[in-house]
Amino acid sequence: MEKKRLFDPGQLVATCGGMTGLILDQEMYGRARKTLPEGRKAGRYFAPGCCRRPDYVTQIPVLFEDGTWDVMRPMNIKKKSHIAEER
């Protein structure tokens, strides 16, 4: 049986505030947690002890253009087909 996902790793997304980001896969998410700071952006998913293994339905790990990461709620990000080259 296939797992349902709203977002797939490698997709480009944008927040409601205009920040662009990239959906992370499990391996990249593990590395980002160890090396990069958490962004704590508006719309992030937070709960005590959450997000060791995001499910890509309610918890979507995103690497943002400013070099931070967050686990976002799907209602606060949108899929983007193209992003300006300077970003």
Side-chain angles (χ1 to χ4, degrees):
M1 228 171 138
E2 285 186 38
K3 288 185 176 183
K4 288 186 178 184
R5 289 185 172 187
L6 294 176
F7 296 92
D8 292 317
Q11 278 185 325
L12 295 173
V13 295
T15 65
C16 297
M19 286 288 284
T20 58
L22 180 72
I23 304 295
L24 299 173
D25 64 10
Q26 288 290 339
E27 182 182 325
M28 290 178 5
Y29 173 59
R31 283 189 269 154
R33 283 183 66 136
K34 293 177 185 174
T35 59
L36 298 174
E38 187 174 358
R40 300 188 188 271
K41 304 216 178 347
R44 68 186 173 97
Y45 184 92
F46 61 92
C50 79
C51 310
R52 287 274 181 210
R53 307 195 102 240
D55 59 8
Y56 294 90
V57 175
T58 59
Q59 306 165 352
I60 295 100
V62 180
L63 176 65
F64 290 101
E65 61 187 336
D66 62 356
T68 61
W69 64 272
D70 268 318
V71 176
M72 301 294 289
R73 292 180 180 156
M75 67 184 87
N76 296 317
I77 56 176
K78 298 176 186 174
K79 295 178 186 178
K80 289 289 185 182
S81 58
H82 65 284
I83 303 292
E85 280 189 34
E86 66 270 5
R87 289 187 175 187

